[in-house]
Each structure stands twice: as C-alpha cells, then as structure tokens.
Amino acid sequence: MSDLPLRVWAVIPAAGRGERFGAGRPKQYAELRGRALIEWSLAPFLARADIAGVVIALVADDPDWPRFRPADSRLIEAPGGAERAASVGNALDALAERGAGDSDWVLVHDAARPCLDPTDLDKLLERGRNSPDGALLAAPVDDTLKRAVGGCVVDTVERRDLWRAMTPQLFRFGPLRQALQAAAASGIAITDEASAIEEQGGRPLLVQGRTDNIKVTRMADLALADAVLAAREH
Ligand code: CTP
Ligand code: MG
C-alpha cells in the first residue's frame, strides 16, 4: 500500500457520433448558450481543485475539439472506441499510464450532459466515497410504465423500485477497469459503468440527483438544456 493520498479523476466519453441527434456534426459540439455543449459538461469538473486530471475520449483527428479545448493543464486526451464502454476503457488506460492507483476514484460523465449541477457532484462525491461499490446519480421513475407487444399494452410495470441512471458515476479505478475489461472479454453490452460493476456482483449506491441533469440525445433536448441553464442564470 502506498501512502499517497487518493486522487479523484474524471473521464468524459466524447467519441460518439450523435446519430439520434442528427446534426451535421456530433452533438457534443452543438452550440448551447454561446458555448459548445461539451464545454458545459466539462465545466463542473474543471471548476474543482480536487480533480487531478480529466480524460476526454475523442474520435481520431476530431476536427472540432481543438477549437473548444479549454486551456487547463489537467486535460488528457484518449482515443475513442467503437462503443461507449470502449471509449471509457481507453480513457482508463490513459489514467493507468499516468499512474492512477487502484484505490483512486474515477468519475465518469457523458459529454452529452451539460446541465450537471455542482451541488449534485458534491453530493455524489461525498456519499459515493463511503460506498464500497461506488455510486451514481439517479432519479426515481415518476411515470407509469407500460410493457408493450406490437405497439399495444400488455402490462403495467411496477415502478416503485425503478430508477433512471444518470452520470456522473463514481467508482474506484482498479475495480472499474477490471469490470469493464471483464465485460469486454465476455461480450456483455454495457451502457453505463454501474452495469459493469453489477456484472461483478457489486451494488453501486443510488444517489438521488436533479432530474434536469438531462442527456442531450435528440435535437429537441437541446432546447430543454438551454432552458435549464437559462433558469440557473437567474
Ligand atoms: N460515446 C463515446 N464513444 C462511443 C459512443 C458514445 O465516447 N463509441 C459517448 C458520447 O460522445 C456521449 C456518451 O458516450 O457523450 C453517451 O452516448 P450517446 O448519448 O449514445 O451519444 P452518441 O453515441 O454520440 O449518440 P447516438 O447513440 O445517438 O449516436
Ligand atoms: Mg450512442
């Protein structure tokens, strides 16, 4: 065991193509209140002095990134992968090269989530660091859920124990890297980091976050994100 204090790193997968968004360029570079969407997503992490480094996973020769890259010496670039989980895996490899320790903490946050409130990030770090299997921001499901077959309802799903997973998600570096490598090796599709940890038998803590921490997926979400950020200015 080393005596070095545990560090906190951030990983921002930004190597998606934004197919559902359907613009000429990836959604992380869409304009949102005078800045690129990714600048908003990065800001809460760069604003914290206790974050040791922020890895961004990017497609090779991303033509847009150099224009929006914040001037911060803690930024580290890593190559994107074919799937989100592969992009995160590459970012963790970059952290390993920088000497990240197995017990260090890693926050993973979608480049497409520009409305993370700093208070939620505080809450996740505070509560997550006391959880053996890490933690994630999430929100209870409020709507009534239907199961459908052929476009018609066959069942109403009990929503009491259902949550919507969001990011950031916080895990120990070593266990997260190992869980993602195990998922990749067994061909399990992973849509968030928590599910890789769950596959290993872990039980990440749900930390209730604001529902306005939306992921910009479709074009209409950009107007919602704009409204969320505008409301915070007042
Ligand atoms: N992402 C990534 N590498 C991939 C795929 C996705 O780093 N191979 C990132 C995206 O850039 C985004 C986050 O993962 O920040 C969440 O993914 P999603 O919302 O699905 O974004 P896209 O994959 O870009 O969108 P789409 O699925 O509509 O193409
Ligand atoms: Mg995608």
Side-chain angles (χ1 to χ4, degrees):
M1 284 298 266
S2 87
D3 295 331
L4 287 172
L6 297 180
R7 288 174 291 184
V8 183
W9 307 91
V11 161
I12 314 285
R17 294 190 303 184
E19 275 166 11
R20 287 168 291 178
F21 189 73
R25 63 167 132 156
K27 62 193 181 185
Q28 52 270 30
Y29 301 114
E31 200 220 299
L32 181 55
R33 304 190 69 73
R35 298 164 80 186
L37 198 151
I38 192 170
E39 294 180 82
W40 291 102
S41 305
L42 279 167
F45 301 93
L46 295 176
R48 295 185 70 109
D50 60 351
I51 303 271
V54 179
V55 194
I56 323 262
L58 298 158
V59 292
D61 302 317
D62 185 325
D64 297 295
W65 171 244
R67 274 192 296 142
F68 301 112
R69 187 185 204 283
D72 191 305
S73 59
R74 292 172 297 170
L75 281 174
I76 301 161
E77 289 162 21
E83 305 294 335
R84 182 183 179 287
S87 296
V88 173
N90 291 347
L92 296 181
D93 290 347
L95 284 181
E97 281 165 28
R98 305 258 165 163
D102 279 351
S103 301
D104 281 357
W105 293 103
V106 182
L107 289 157
V108 183
H109 183 57
D110 293 323
R113 273 186 211 271
C115 303
L116 170 63
D117 189 283
T119 313
D120 269 4
L121 181 53
D122 287 344
K123 196 168 148 187
L124 177 69
L125 279 163
E126 212 173 284
R127 299 198 47 204
R129 277 191 276 202
N130 292 311
S131 166
D133 296 327
L136 60 148
L137 287 181
V141 169
D142 293 329
D143 291 322
T144 297
L145 296 178
K146 302 293 187 189
R147 192 186 316 281
V149 171
C152 293
V153 176
V154 293
D155 195 13
T156 296
V157 180
E158 173 59 67
R159 69 166 179 232
R160 199 182 47 217
D161 297 326
L162 295 181
W163 291 68
R164 292 188 293 117
M166 305 191 288
T167 72
Q169 304 194 349
L170 177 72
F171 301 100
R172 299 267 191 189
F173 174 76
L176 176 60
R177 193 164 180 232
Q178 194 260 322
L180 287 174
Q181 285 170 350
S186 55
I188 296 166
I190 291 296
T191 54
D192 71 343
E193 289 58 53
S195 51
I197 298 287
E198 293 153 32
E199 284 293 330
Q200 299 294 299
R203 291 187 162 215
L205 176 74
L206 293 164
V207 175
Q208 186 164 352
R210 296 170 60 116
T211 53
D212 59 11
N213 177 18
I214 57 168
K215 180 161 76 74
V216 173
T217 302
R218 296 172 199 282
M219 192 63 87
D221 299 327
L222 202 57
L224 292 176
D226 187 296
V228 170
L229 295 170
R232 281 190 203 154
E233 279 171 14
H234 301 300

